[in-house]
C-alpha cells in the first residue's frame, strides 16, 4: 500500500469520483482547454456548468497553484487555500480560507441552451437550471458568505464565495461561522427536479479521509501487488475509478466511460478490456462492465457502436472481442454461477450469429467489415482502398468466440450445440487460412472484388489471438511480423517505414493498448514467450513514462489525444498484474521483469 497519496496533473486527468457524472477539469469540450477549472457534467453530453476561479479579498482572480489527489483538489496562493472534494457522486464540498472563489455560469447563452439562474424561495440557495444537461445545480452556503455580482451583458451570473458572516449552518471542519479568518464553505449539488435543502452529516476533513480510504480500497482491489510509493498502477486505478459512472440514461449499470473528457461513452469493445482490469478485485463491477452494452443488443444480435448517457448508436459495430474476453474473464472469475454462464452464452451466441448471418456475402465463407470503424481501427490502411473488407483479425476473433461458445455449451449440458459451434469454428479457421494466408502473411481483401490492397498495418496480426490453432510456420510468421512493428515504445499500428505512417495518425502509427494486450496474449499462447515478455514490458514502461493517453507516438513515446483513457489504464493493469504473477512464480515465469 502506498505510503503517501497519489498526485496527478489536473490538465491531463479530470478530478472526479466513482459513480459521478461530474468532474472538475480545464477540459470543457473536444480538444478545448479553458484557462480555469470548470465543473463539467456528462449528463446529456459533455457540458461545462460553472467556471471555478480563485480570487483575492478584492474579488479579483489570482494565479493559484493546483494540486490534485484522489481525495481532494486544492488551490493555493500565498497563505490562502481552497479545497474541493466529492462528498457523494452528485455533491461537491468546497472549503476556503484566505482565498475566495468566483463561480460563473459557463453554459451557452443563446438559443435557449443556457442556464436559468434563480434563488430558491424554500432555502434561499442559488440554483442554476441547465437546459443542456437537464439538471439543476444548487449552491448552499455552509459557512462564510455568498454574494451575487451584477449579471454580465450576456446574462451570465457570477457568485462570489468569501469569508465573513454568513447564514450557513456551520458544519464545516473549522468553527463553521467564517468570522474574521477568511473561512467559508459551500456545497454544490446536481439533481433533477427537486431535493430537500442540503444537510451534511459530516465535517469536511472526515469526508476527505473517507474518500481517500475508498480510493485506497479500490486500488488495493485492482492492484494489490503495487509498491509503497504511488506509481503507474495507482494512477491507472484512479483513471478507472474517476471515469466510472452510476446507472443513468441509457447506461443501464455502473460503467467505466472511455474518459471523462470528451470520449464520455462506452464503446462496444473497450468495455471488455476495462472488465478484465476490474475482474480480480471487483468481480461484480467487471460483469456489469461486460454486460452493459449487451443490454442494448438489437434484434439481429448486433451490439451498438456506443452507449452514452443520452445516446445509443448503431451506425457501426465493433470487432467481436467478446468471446476472447469472456474466456479470459472465466480464468479470473472461476466461480461464476450457471445462471451467469447461461446469460453470457445466450448473448454471445446472438452476437456470433449476427456476424455469421448478416456479415457474410452470398457464397462467401469469411465475414466482412463494412467500415474501418467496425474494426475499431477507424483509419487503418487496411481500409484505404475500400471499406468493405474481409480481414483476418475478424475471422480469428470469431474462431475464438466460437470456441468459447462450444466450451460454454458443453458446460451447460448441450453437447449437440457444443459440437455445432466447434464445427463452425473449424470451418471458419479453414477458410481463413485457405483464403487469406499467402504463404508469408495474412491478406485483407475486398468483400466485393476479392482483391487485396498493399498496407503495412498491424491489424491483420490480431489473428494471433488463435495463434495456437495455426500450423507452426504460420504462428512463427506472425510473430516475425510482430517483431517488425515493435519500437522501443511498443507496437506501432503502421510500420514506421511505411509511406502511410503518421506520428499522430490514429491507427496509422501510434501505439495503442488493446492491440498490445491481444497480441501479447496470442504470442504467449503460441509459445513466443520471449517476444510476449518484451511487448508487455515496453508497453508498461511507456505508460509509466507517459501516462494513460489514448495512444502514443511510436517513435518518441509521447502521449497523444485524450490523456485520461480508461482502456489504456486497463491494458496497463492487465499486463502489470500478469507480470507480477509471473515474477511471483519464480524464475520460470519472470522473464520480463
Amino acid at each position: 500500500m502506498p505510503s503517501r497519496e497519489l498526485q496527478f496533473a489536473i490538465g491531463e486527468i479530470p478530478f472526479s469520483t466513482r459513480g459521478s457524472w461530474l468532474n472538475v477539469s480545464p477540459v470543457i469540450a473536444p480538444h478545448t482547454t479553458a484557462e480555469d477549472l470548470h465543473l463539467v457534467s456528462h449528463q446529456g453530453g459533455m457540458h461545462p456548468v460553472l467556471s471555478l476561479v480563485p480570487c483575492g479579498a478584492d474579488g479579483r482572480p489570482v494565479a493559484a497553484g493546483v494540486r490534485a489527489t484522489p481525495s481532494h483538489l486544492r488551490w493555493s496562493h500565498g497563505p490562502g487555500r481552497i479545497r474541493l472534494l466529492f462528498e457523494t457522486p452528485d455533491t461537491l464540498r468546497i472549503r476556503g480560507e484566505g482565498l475566495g472563489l468566483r463561480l460563473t455560469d459557463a453554459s451557452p447563452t443563446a438559443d435557449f441552451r443556457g442556464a436559468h439562474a434563480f434563488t430558491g424561495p424554500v432555502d434561499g440557495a442559488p440554483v442554476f437550471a441547465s437546459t443542456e444537461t437537464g439538471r439543476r445545480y444548487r449552491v448552499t452556503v455552509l459557512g462564510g458568505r455568498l454574494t451575487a455580482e451584477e449579471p454580465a451583458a450576456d446574462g451570465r451570473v457570477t457568485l462570489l464565495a468569501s469569508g465573513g458572516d454568513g447564514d450557513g449552518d456551520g458544519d464545516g471542519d473549522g468553527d463553521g461561522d467564517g468570522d474574521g479568518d477568511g473561512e467559508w464553505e459551500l456545497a454544490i449539488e446536481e439533481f433533477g427536479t427537486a431535493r430537500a435543502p442540503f444537510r451534511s452529516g459530516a465535517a469536511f476533513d472526515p469526508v476527505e479521509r473517507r474518500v481517500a480510504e475508498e480510493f485506497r480500497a479500490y486500488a488495493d482491489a485492482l492492484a494489490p501487488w503495487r509498491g509503497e510509493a504511488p506509481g503507474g498502477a495507482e494512477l491507472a486505478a484512479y483513471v478507472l475509478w474517476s471515469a466510472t459512472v452510476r446507472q443513468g440514461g441509457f447506461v443501464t449499470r455502473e460503467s467505466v466511460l472511455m474518459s471523462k473528457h470528451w470520449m464520455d461513452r462506452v464503446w462496444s469493445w473497450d468495455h471488455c478490456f476495462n472488465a478484465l482490469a476490474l475482474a480480480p478485485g471487483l468481480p461484480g463491477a467487471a460483469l456489469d462492465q461486460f454486460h452493459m452494452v449487451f443490454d442494448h443488443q438489437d434484434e439481429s444480435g448486433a451490439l451498438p457502436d456506443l452507449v452514452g448517457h443520452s445516446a445509443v448508436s448503431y451506425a457501426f459495430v465493433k470487432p467481436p472481442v467478446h468471446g476472447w474476453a469472456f474466456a479470459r474473464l472465466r480464468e479470473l472469475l472461476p466461480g461464476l454461477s450457471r445462471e451467469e454462464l447461461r446469460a453470457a452464452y445466450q448473448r454471445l451466441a446472438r452476437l456470433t450469429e449476427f456476424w455469421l448471418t448478416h456479415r457474410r456475402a452470398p457464397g462467401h465463407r469469411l465475414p466482412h467489415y463494412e467500415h474501418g470503424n467496425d474494426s475499431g481501427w477507424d483509419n487503418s490502411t487496411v481500409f484505404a482502398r475500400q471499406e468493405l473488407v474481409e480481414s483476418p483479425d475478424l475471422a480469428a476473433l470469431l474462431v475464438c468466440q466460437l470456441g468459447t461458445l462450444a466450451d460454454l455449451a458443453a458446460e451447460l449440458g448441450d453437447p449437440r450445440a457444443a459440437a455445432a459451434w466447434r464445427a463452425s469454428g473449424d470451418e471458419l479457421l479453414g477458410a481463413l487460412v485457405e483464403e487469406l494466408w499467402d504463404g508469408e502473411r495474412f491478406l485483407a481483401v475486398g468483400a466485393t472484388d476479392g482483391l487485396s490492397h498493399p498496407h503495412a498495418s498491424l491489424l491483420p496480426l490480431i489473428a494471433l489471438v488463435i495463434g495456437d490453432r495455426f500450423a507452426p510456420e504460420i504462428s512463427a510468421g506472425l510473430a516475425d511480423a510482430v517483431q517488425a512493428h515493435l519500437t522501443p515504445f511498443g507496437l506501432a499500428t503502421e510500420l514506421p517505414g511505411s509511406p502511410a505512417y503518421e506520428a499522430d495518425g490514429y491507427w496509422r502509427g501510434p501505439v495503442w493498448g488493446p492491440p498490445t494486450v491481444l497480441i501479447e496474449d496470442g504470442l504467449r499462447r503460441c509459445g513466443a514467450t520471449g517476444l510476449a515478455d518484451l511487448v508487455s514490458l515496453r508497453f508498461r514502461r511507456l505508460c509509466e513514462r507517459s501516462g494513460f493517453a489514448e495512444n502514443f507516438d511510436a517513435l518518441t513515446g509521447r502521449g497523444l489525444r485524450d490523456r485520461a483513457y480508461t482502456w489504456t489504464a486497463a491494458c496497463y493493469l492487465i499486463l502489470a498484474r500478469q507480470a507480477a504473477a509471473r515474477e511471483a512464480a519464480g524464475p520460470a515465469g519472470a522473464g520480463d521483469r
Side-chain angles (χ1 to χ4, degrees):
M1 179 183 300
S3 56
R4 62 182 185 275
E5 193 170 15
L6 172 75
Q7 295 188 40
F8 57 90
I10 190 66
E12 295 186 355
I13 301 173
F15 176 73
S16 190
T17 195
R18 180 180 180 182
S20 182
W21 287 91
L22 297 166
N23 69 265
V24 176
S25 171
V27 179
I28 58 172
H31 311 287
T32 303
T33 301
E35 292 185 7
D36 305 309
L37 297 187
H38 283 65
L39 177 64
V40 179
S41 177
H42 297 271
Q43 301 203 60
M46 180 185 187
H47 303 293
V49 177
L50 295 170
S51 68
L52 307 172
V53 181
C55 58
D58 57 2
R60 294 181 179 177
V62 297
V66 181
R67 172 182 181 267
T69 73
S71 67
H72 71 278
L73 184 149
R74 184 174 71 186
W75 290 271
S76 58
H77 180 75
R81 65 173 183 166
I82 301 169
R83 287 182 292 161
L84 177 152
L85 56 76
F86 281 86
E87 178 169 340
T88 67
D90 63 14
T91 301
L92 285 78
R93 293 272 290 274
I94 312 176
R95 183 169 177 81
E97 50 186 299
L99 284 177
L101 185 68
R102 296 169 62 90
L103 300 90
T104 301
D105 173 15
S107 62
T109 58
D111 301 327
F112 304 100
R113 293 186 298 122
H116 168 53
F118 62 93
T119 299
V122 174
D123 56 8
V127 176
F128 296 85
S130 170
T131 58
E132 288 195 305
T133 69
R135 298 295 184 274
R136 288 168 169 77
Y137 302 86
R138 180 170 63 193
V139 183
T140 300
V141 181
L142 305 180
R145 62 172 175 259
L146 186 66
T147 55
E149 298 184 354
E150 286 293 324
D154 60 7
R156 296 181 190 272
V157 172
T158 294
L159 305 176
L160 176 62
S162 60
D165 292 331
D167 298 325
D169 56 14
D171 58 0
D173 65 340
D175 61 11
D177 60 12
D179 292 342
D181 54 8
E183 293 186 3
W184 55 268
E185 187 172 343
L186 303 176
I188 303 177
E189 304 164 88
E190 180 183 57
F191 58 92
T193 54
R195 178 178 286 187
F198 178 82
R199 295 289 185 271
S200 175
F204 193 98
D205 284 349
V207 172
E208 183 180 320
R209 289 192 292 270
R210 172 180 59 78
V211 175
E213 285 298 323
E214 288 174 354
F215 172 70
R216 190 173 297 116
Y218 182 92
D220 287 346
L222 266 58
W225 68 86
R226 72 197 196 285
E228 289 296 315
E234 184 132 347
L235 184 58
Y238 179 75
V239 170
L240 289 167
W241 187 74
S242 62
T244 300
V245 294
R246 58 189 177 182
Q247 177 182 347
F250 288 109
V251 176
T252 53
R253 309 166 187 238
E254 181 187 76
S255 298
V256 181
L257 303 178
M258 183 60 81
S259 172
K260 276 185 183 165
H261 284 150
W262 57 89
M263 303 292 280
D264 55 354
R265 298 169 183 177
V266 178
W267 275 259
S268 292
W269 68 313
D270 66 69
H271 69 111
C272 291
F273 299 93
N274 288 342
L276 288 171
L278 296 172
L282 298 168
L287 289 175
D288 279 342
Q289 186 70 17
F290 181 80
H291 280 290
M292 195 278 284
V293 295
F294 280 96
D295 292 343
H296 296 279
Q297 193 167 25
D298 75 7
E299 63 277 4
S300 74
L303 297 181
D305 179 31
L306 59 87
V307 180
H309 178 271
S310 301
V312 179
S313 173
Y314 295 88
F316 303 102
V317 295
K318 284 294 175 277
V321 298
H322 308 83
W324 170 87
F326 193 74
R328 305 291 83 78
L329 279 173
R330 293 215 59 196
E331 295 169 0
L332 298 169
L333 305 174
L336 293 181
S337 69
R338 188 176 182 84
E339 291 73 21
E340 288 168 328
L341 295 178
R342 185 173 297 282
Y345 172 74
Q346 292 171 343
R347 289 178 155 194
L348 286 171
R350 292 184 59 217
L351 175 61
T352 305
E353 288 164 354
F354 159 78
W355 284 102
L356 298 182
T357 301
H358 300 285
R359 287 298 183 90
R360 288 202 285 197
H364 287 229
R365 296 190 293 167
L366 293 174
H368 62 267
Y369 292 126
E370 293 181 345
H371 190 278
N373 289 0
D374 285 348
S375 75
W377 294 50
D378 309 4
N379 67 333
S380 166
T381 52
V382 165
F383 304 95
R385 188 179 69 86
Q386 66 168 284
E387 294 174 337
L388 298 167
V389 173
E390 294 174 1
S391 187
D393 63 293
L394 174 55
L397 288 168
L398 282 170
V399 169
C400 184
Q401 190 152 293
L402 286 159
T404 298
L405 285 167
D407 291 342
L408 285 170
E411 189 167 349
L412 291 168
D414 191 345
R416 291 183 62 183
W421 291 123
R422 209 167 299 284
S424 183
D426 291 342
E427 291 171 7
L428 189 57
L429 175 61
L432 168 61
V433 174
E434 291 166 20
E435 298 187 22
L436 298 185
W437 181 254
D438 71 354
E440 295 182 355
R441 63 174 185 156
F442 274 121
L443 305 174
V445 302
T448 55
D449 59 18
L451 299 178
S452 64
H453 175 76
H455 65 83
S457 176
L458 183 69
L459 178 58
L461 302 184
I462 299 296
L464 268 167
V465 295
I466 54 168
D468 54 349
R469 299 284 305 276
F470 294 131
E473 61 271 20
I474 295 180
S475 296
L478 292 173
D480 288 344
V482 167
Q483 182 75 62
H485 282 265
L486 187 60
T487 77
F489 301 101
L491 294 172
T493 46
E494 181 83 4
L495 283 175
S498 164
Y501 177 87
E502 299 177 43
D504 187 10
Y506 223 53
W507 293 97
R508 294 192 175 196
V511 175
W512 290 76
T516 302
V517 168
L518 290 166
I519 288 174
E520 192 269 356
D521 181 69
L523 288 169
R524 206 169 292 285
R525 291 177 186 278
C526 68
T529 55
L531 182 54
D533 289 344
L534 195 56
V535 168
S536 170
L537 180 62
R538 290 190 181 177
F539 184 77
R540 287 182 283 121
R541 285 182 173 171
L542 172 65
C543 292
E544 290 161 1
R545 172 185 184 269
S546 300
F548 301 104
E550 184 173 357
N551 52 61
F552 304 87
D553 187 315
L555 301 182
T556 68
R558 182 172 65 93
L560 303 171
R561 310 291 177 117
D562 192 319
R563 301 303 299 273
Y565 231 53
T566 56
W567 77 357
T568 308
C571 289
Y572 173 85
L573 288 171
I574 292 166
L575 295 174
R577 179 181 69 234
Q578 294 169 347
R582 290 192 294 273
E583 184 168 351
D592 67 341
R593 292 184 189 179

